[in-house]
Amino acid sequence: MGYYKNEASSRALAASGIAKRTNYWGVIMQSTRLIVIRRFLFLLVCACSIAPVAGRADDIAQFRVARGSVYLERSGQRLPARVGTHLQATDTVVTGADGSAGIAFIDNSLLSVGPNSVLAIERYAFNSTTHEGAFESSLRKGTLSVVSGKIAKQSPDAMKVKTPSSILGVRGTEFLVRSND
Amino acid sequence: MRRHCAALIAALVLGGCATPSQDLVVLLPDKEGKVGTVVIQGQKGNAVLNTAYAKARTTPDGGVQRGTATQSEVREVFGSALAAQPPRPISYTLYFESGNDEFTEQSKQEVKGLLAEMARRKAPDITVIGHTDLVGPDPSNDALSLQRAERVKSILAGMGIPADRILTAGRGRREPLIPTAEGVSEPRNRRVEINVR
């Protein structure tokens, strides 16, 4: 069955939909055409400065919630995951017995995992102009909550969640999965 | 006694082996009460879930068993995962005064709301999405809508939102707010939408 194939991530498509991110820090404080609301600005800078700055075209998602023990496996390395940490296609999210994590993807898909979970992102591609793409993940163990986003809305077969014993085809929108290893 | 222990251990080990991976899937209504569809393909059987709280369980023989989940079951099994859900993305729509780069008065209020929402969220990022009306072909509208999005990005960056937290997208004419006939110049379709995550 084709679904079981572990396809390599197709970053080209993901990248094509995302325009380049230029560093505008230098012009932030220049005079603006609109009224600057200083209070909001201050709060915003506070909020944004929590996260490490790592804007790259192959970033597909960010941690919005990270409680207890949460980390990422990327190319054989174990990296700590915090609120604001970016994810790339083919990253694996791992939580410990006291861990849980919530992730927002650039197509507005929202995934969150409970304790003792292993969630591998196997493929993520999103064209932000056409909304075509592919989103395949694998819940090796643990619990997962999914709110599907623009990829699943555009193409009913584009989003799949695998477990060790089944494949879920996602036509939307909110569902839960538990996988016992 | 030792024999009993051995038997118990054997039973546990065999019991563990005889229970292969069993999955549970539960479909939830969304915030508006609408329900989507999830298809579960097991090794032998499959099930389509399309009603609120419909559940499917994979069975040891590779089949898929349907049922209905209770709210307490959902809370018990999925409470932590649900509690870790990120905040829902919020969408804002901005319009320009015709013929210049200024936002309309109403859109300036929207920008205030957008900044307040970003301040409320932890490490927010946004996508600025340009849209056009149904005048002209796809390629030129794609380019135009992306230009519009880039312009708004530089305005927002000028207001203090770090540029590396702003993605841009040109959706062209694919998502008109007001459905019109081909070639109709509709100002409400020439807009920029901002998703805050």
Side-chain angles (χ1 to χ4, degrees):
Chain A
M1 207 186 288
Y3 292 164
Y4 283 109
K5 255 192 314 187
N6 182 0
E7 298 189 60
S9 74
S10 125
R11 291 202 177 136
L13 181 56
S16 70
I18 304 161
K20 67 186 166 112
R21 306 180 195 183
T22 323
N23 188 350
Y24 280 86
W25 268 116
V27 295
I28 280 171
M29 298 318 291
Q30 80 186 17
S31 64
T32 60
R33 271 170 281 192
L34 295 170
I35 310 145
V36 176
I37 307 122
R38 289 181 190 281
R39 191 160 45 111
F40 289 139
L41 177 68
F42 174 72
L43 289 171
L44 190 63
V45 169
C46 290
C48 293
S49 62
I50 295 164
V53 176
R56 285 175 40 188
D58 50 359
D59 291 327
I60 56 164
Q62 285 181 38
F63 282 91
R64 295 275 167 248
V65 177
R67 296 181 186 133
S69 153
V70 183
Y71 60 91
L72 268 183
E73 281 172 1
R74 178 180 299 161
S75 326
Q77 280 194 305
R78 181 180 279 211
L79 308 168
R82 299 185 192 94
V83 171
T85 298
H86 292 248
L87 283 94
Q88 298 171 8
T90 73
D91 280 349
T92 296
V93 179
V94 182
T95 58
D98 65 341
S100 61
I103 303 158
F105 288 77
I106 54 172
D107 77 312
N108 290 352
S109 299
L110 307 176
L111 269 60
S112 58
V113 288
N116 293 317
S117 299
V118 178
L119 176 72
I121 312 301
E122 298 189 332
R123 186 164 179 232
Y124 188 91
F126 175 54
N127 181 318
S128 63
T129 296
T130 63
H131 287 187
E132 284 160 338
F135 188 174
E136 293 172 22
S137 60
S138 175
L139 183 69
R140 307 238 164 95
K141 65 171 192 167
T143 50
L144 169 71
S145 140
V146 177
V147 180
S148 64
K150 293 174 180 176
I151 291 174
K153 192 173 180 189
Q154 176 70 28
S155 328
D157 294 319
M159 186 179 194
K160 291 188 171 63
V161 178
K162 299 175 212 173
T163 72
S165 66
S166 61
I167 298 170
L168 315 187
V170 181
R171 314 227 164 113
T173 43
E174 304 201 13
F175 61 97
L176 303 163
V177 189
R178 182 189 63 193
S179 166
N180 289 340
D181 60 340
Chain B
M1 183 62 193
R2 186 176 291 171
R3 202 183 301 159
H4 281 130
C5 281
L8 184 62
I9 289 165
L12 284 173
V13 169
L14 286 174
C17 293
T19 315
S21 172
Q22 287 194 4
D23 303 333
L24 172 65
V25 181
V26 181
L27 190 66
L28 298 179
D30 68 16
K31 294 285 184 214
E32 285 91 48
K34 283 189 291 184
V35 181
T37 301
V38 173
V39 181
I40 295 96
Q41 179 71 54
Q43 261 123 23
K44 284 184 192 157
N46 63 68
V48 178
L49 303 184
N50 53 17
T51 54
Y53 295 97
K55 75 173 177 185
R57 210 181 261 285
T58 55
T59 57
D61 64 357
V64 182
Q65 201 173 53
R66 283 197 46 139
T68 306
T70 61
Q71 300 218 4
S72 64
E73 181 182 13
V74 165
R75 260 197 311 275
E76 190 183 322
V77 179
F78 298 104
S80 299
L82 284 168
Q85 272 189 350
R88 304 293 161 127
I90 296 186
S91 181
Y92 295 86
T93 304
L94 306 178
Y95 295 92
F96 290 97
E97 302 276 8
S98 57
N100 67 38
D101 260 9
E102 289 281 314
F103 290 131
T104 60
E105 273 310 312
Q106 204 184 345
S107 294
K108 287 179 187 172
Q109 293 305 313
E110 283 278 286
V111 171
K112 282 185 192 172
L114 161 77
L115 292 175
E117 184 58 36
M118 287 190 74
R120 269 195 290 276
R121 291 178 177 232
K122 288 180 187 166
D125 71 331
I126 63 177
T127 304
V128 180
I129 306 154
H131 296 274
T132 67
D133 57 22
L134 302 190
V135 180
D138 267 341
S140 58
N141 280 307
D142 289 356
L144 180 63
S145 60
L146 185 60
Q147 262 171 32
R148 228 165 245 169
E150 291 288 349
R151 201 163 76 215
V152 169
K153 173 180 174 169
S154 63
I155 292 171
L156 294 175
M159 297 177 80
I161 299 174
D164 63 6
R165 302 216 145 257
I166 309 174
L167 294 171
T168 53
R171 186 86 166 115
R173 47 176 285 169
R174 293 170 186 75
E175 231 179 278
L177 191 65
I178 310 293
T180 69
E182 175 64 38
V184 173
S185 167
E186 169 54 67
R188 284 170 295 177
N189 286 336
R190 297 193 293 269
R191 69 203 193 275
V192 168
E193 179 193 347
I194 300 178
N195 292 169
V196 180
R197 283 181 295 269

